[in-house]
Amino acid sequence: MMKKIDGHLHLVRSLTGLNGKGRLTPLGGGRAIWDDGEVIKLIPDGWGDDHFLVDAALKVMDNNGIEKAVLLQGSLNGYPNYYSWQVAKKYPQRFMTSFSVDPFAQQAMTIVKRYVEQLGMRVMKFEISQGGGTSWLSPTIPA
């Protein structure tokens, strides 16, 4: 039987998204609101009220025959880098993880070195999409 691997899974420790619409605030029921007033449905019913944690992810994975998943970070949900690392350490047979960093952060390289050299992470997600990537962070990057 062929293994199923989810190559793009986001855990949400807390909805702390940020993009060109401002900050994201959870409303419950899987919904959240951007500072500009747009309400979005981010978490499917039954998966979590304002978070999607590892126990819920494992249940969804098991119910769908998914053996492993790659945890990715993004500005839509926030960057639960450390939580994802903790999950991958606890369940190495089920998860591998990436980390993300704001490249304009004053301590960006210190953060990268911590995740790579101290925590042993080997995948960095660097998203440059218009809506959720780093293109909205700096006026020098065309959208």
Side-chain angles (χ1 to χ4, degrees):
M1 176 182 263
M2 192 174 350
K3 296 179 183 180
K4 289 183 185 177
I5 298 174
D6 183 340
H8 189 139
L9 180 65
H10 293 278
L11 294 180
V12 180
R13 182 85 172 133
S14 60
L15 285 172
T16 56
L18 176 67
N19 71 17
K21 297 177 183 195
R23 296 201 177 269
L24 188 65
T25 301
L27 296 173
R31 296 170 38 248
I33 187 169
W34 290 108
D35 282 339
D36 74 352
E38 180 184 355
V39 175
I40 60 173
K41 174 76 170 174
L42 197 57
I43 302 170
D45 292 337
W47 290 21
D49 191 43
D50 57 7
H51 56 270
F52 180 58
L53 302 176
V54 66
D55 291 339
L58 286 168
K59 184 177 178 182
V60 171
M61 289 169 62
D62 290 345
N63 288 342
N64 290 283
I66 298 170
E67 186 173 326
K68 296 181 179 184
V70 179
L71 302 176
L72 298 178
Q73 317 306 324
S75 62
L76 176 63
N77 305 316
Y79 294 149
N81 291 324
Y82 193 72
Y83 177 64
S84 294
W85 176 80
Q86 290 174 308
V87 166
K89 290 294 272 186
K90 185 173 182 179
Y91 301 101
Q93 72 284 6
R94 300 296 305 267
F95 299 100
M96 79 159 299
T97 190
S98 68
F99 69 96
S100 288
V101 63
D102 174 353
F104 301 104
Q106 191 174 37
Q107 297 295 318
M109 286 311 299
T110 300
I111 295 166
V112 169
K113 285 181 180 183
R114 175 175 178 255
Y115 283 110
V116 172
E117 295 174 5
Q118 293 177 16
L119 300 181
M121 295 171 80
R122 295 292 179 250
V123 178
M124 180 177 166
K125 180 184 176 202
F126 186 68
E127 185 171 343
I128 55 171
S129 67
Q130 186 174 6
T134 57
S135 62
W136 61 271
L137 289 170
S138 172
T140 62
I141 299 175

